[in-house]
Amino acid sequence: AVMFGLDQAQVRVICPDVGGGFGPKNGLYPEERLTAELARRLDRPVRWVETRSESMLGLGHGRAQVQHATIGGRRDGTVLAYRLDVIQDSGAYPSVGAVLPFMTRLMGPGTYDIASVSVSASSVVTNTVPVEAYRGAGRPEATAAIERMMDCFAAELGMDAVALRRRNLIAGPFPFTTPTGATYDSGEYAGALDKALTAAGYSELRSEQRRRRAAGEAPLLGIGVSTYVEVTNGLRSGEHGSIEVHPDGRALVRTGSSAHGQGHHTAFAMIASAQTGIPIEAITVRHGETDDVVRGGGTGGSKSLQVGGTAVLSAADVPLFGVGLVFSFLSAWVCVRWLLRYISSHDFVPFAWYRIAFGIVVLLTAYTGAPVRIGFSAGRCRERWNALFTNRHVTPPPSARHVVE
């Protein structure tokens, strides 16, 4: 709308399920702008279909960091200091990738309690495809660096890679603030590591590895170990969620999030079902249509379930949902009484025709099976009751964190 000087109401965007988004498909590309401009100039529909080869060449790429790291510590495996210097390839036309090293710095020490940490970065222009926020956007790069150095340090000491990591994992107290400024609100890293090792059969794998090496048996067995902590929804963006219930007992959930193959439809339907008691198979989830969903932030920063799911949860909250439902049916009951009173007595009272018309609308709604929207449905209705009862926009607290081992 801004690009063509139009009001937002004049622009309609339909975004169906997008396979493999992962960040680079966020925002507009020159071809998309050009397609819209051609449609305006030619006054006819214009379609642009990108080939797979074109996508590989022109879609924003990820990572593209040159990393120089140094680690130091004691012979017992205690890590005392860690330094990381990053050169970020920003591509020929710098985009968000040019600033992603700030996330690499924030998550530099990972899950480890290291007293002294230094991270520096320089972004440079090259002749490559622009770098975008891709699958973690700067944070996996931090993990790759620190985990590689933990392996190098373990090899230098002749120490088991798991034993070295366990010695240096953050144990609290929480909230814990790292030397790079990240605050972890909670975490049980050693426990998570132990569960992962048990599930993988780590001791058995090491025994098998030694046996193959001693016997000179091929193929040899390699074992990789990595711990990972993630900060999600780093920009603290909110999300929209609403629920609309029809007379036949079915429900329609709308979300401002956008599906890229993560299973949003199933997850959001499960949340609404758990809150309302409506079977999952009777719940439809819609997204990606600006004329249907009042607002939305899309998918990014691993916030879909954390924020988008919370919005749906709030919209389907039983106490609020119940109040809206009761209000709607009480309103319908009062209107029907007004209608019957007028029919039986023909006694004209102030605003009688308004009341009669409203009663007729309610009756037609019930008869035709149209959704009852007053009080508990966002949908296309913009009544204040809708905003109060089901049209929820959620912004997470600044301490929200998602921790994965």
Side-chain angles (χ1 to χ4, degrees):
V2 173
M3 182 172 58
F4 294 110
L6 301 174
D7 187 87
Q8 288 189 18
Q10 296 177 277
V11 179
R12 182 183 182 189
V13 178
I14 302 174
C15 181
D17 292 341
V18 177
F22 307 126
K25 294 182 181 180
N26 185 23
L28 289 174
Y29 280 79
E31 294 86 349
E32 295 161 345
R33 296 186 177 95
L34 180 60
T35 301
E37 178 62 25
L38 288 175
R40 282 166 53 92
R41 294 191 182 188
L42 299 176
D43 194 26
R44 60 179 296 175
V46 175
R47 174 184 294 179
W48 170 64
V49 180
E50 184 182 43
T51 67
R52 289 175 179 261
S53 297
E54 287 173 332
S55 180
M56 287 294 295
L57 291 172
L59 189 70
H61 285 196
R63 314 304 174 217
Q65 287 187 358
V66 177
Q67 300 175 333
H68 299 275
T70 306
I71 195 169
R74 299 193 183 102
R75 284 288 172 184
D76 64 359
T78 302
V79 177
L80 300 176
Y82 171 65
R83 185 177 68 205
L84 175 64
D85 300 309
V86 174
I87 300 176
Q88 174 69 61
D89 179 355
S90 301
Y93 304 95
S95 182
V96 67
V99 298
L100 285 182
F102 90 93
M103 293 300 295
T104 305
R105 179 188 182 280
L106 181 67
M107 304 309 297
T111 60
Y112 305 111
D113 187 355
I114 305 175
S116 179
V117 178
S118 172
V119 180
S120 65
S122 299
S123 293
V124 298
V125 176
T126 67
N127 63 348
T128 63
V129 176
V131 174
E132 302 288 349
Y134 209 121
R135 291 293 287 176
R139 287 98 78 192
E141 291 88 322
T143 300
I146 185 63
E147 291 301 305
R148 175 58 179 157
M149 295 312 295
M150 294 298 283
D151 281 339
C152 290
F153 193 40
E156 176 68 22
L157 299 178
M159 191 173 184
D160 180 76
V162 169
L164 178 72
R165 284 171 168 82
R166 182 181 284 108
R167 172 177 287 275
N168 292 282
L169 287 174
I170 297 170
F174 292 96
F176 181 90
T177 301
T178 70
T180 55
T183 299
Y184 301 169
D185 60 352
S186 62
E188 193 175 338
Y189 304 119
L193 177 60
D194 289 339
K195 288 183 178 180
L197 296 174
T198 300
Y202 180 74
S203 298
E204 293 78 4
L205 289 174
R206 284 298 186 193
S207 297
E208 175 64 13
Q209 183 185 55
R210 287 191 293 268
R211 187 194 67 79
R212 293 190 188 186
R213 286 178 176 176
E217 181 179 322
L220 296 177
L221 178 62
I223 301 173
V225 181
S226 176
T227 66
Y228 182 56
V229 62
E230 166 76 308
V231 53
T232 58
N233 196 29
L235 299 180
R236 296 185 59 203
S237 57
E239 193 52 274
H240 168 78
S242 67
I243 183 169
E244 174 181 297
V245 177
H246 296 243
D248 62 358
R250 301 185 67 83
L252 172 62
V253 171
R254 292 180 174 88
T255 175
S257 187
S258 182
H260 296 169
Q262 303 96 323
H264 286 181
H265 295 76
T266 301
F268 294 153
M270 289 175 66
I271 292 172
S273 176
Q275 287 293 96
T276 63
I278 300 173
I280 292 179
E281 57 271 18
I283 298 175
T284 301
V285 178
R286 289 219 299 251
H287 72 93
E289 160 65 275
T290 56
D291 279 4
D292 187 43
V293 181
V294 294
R295 60 184 177 274
T299 296
S302 301
K303 69 181 180 69
S304 296
L305 194 59
Q306 177 191 117
V307 185
T310 301
V312 173
L313 180 74
S314 299
D317 183 78
V318 172
L320 290 175
F321 192 79
V323 171
L325 185 65
V326 170
F327 176 82
S328 298
F329 282 100
L330 282 177
S331 300
W333 178 71
V334 170
C335 292
V336 171
R337 286 199 61 186
W338 287 337
L339 179 61
L340 294 176
R341 175 184 173 185
Y342 183 78
I343 292 174
S344 62
S345 65
H346 297 283
D347 182 21
F348 182 80
V349 294
F351 306 110
W353 288 109
Y354 167 78
R355 293 171 178 174
I356 291 172
F358 194 64
I360 292 173
V361 169
V362 173
L363 290 176
L364 288 175
T365 295
Y367 177 75
T368 60
V372 180
R373 293 178 175 175
I374 298 176
F376 65 96
S377 168
R380 294 176 184 270
C381 298
R382 304 296 176 87
E383 292 89 355
R384 292 181 180 179
W385 288 108
N386 292 1
L388 174 62
F389 290 126
T390 66
N391 203 351
R392 309 299 293 277
H393 191 77
V394 176
T395 300
S399 62
R401 295 289 184 270
H402 175 60
V403 179
V404 177
E405 281 279 359

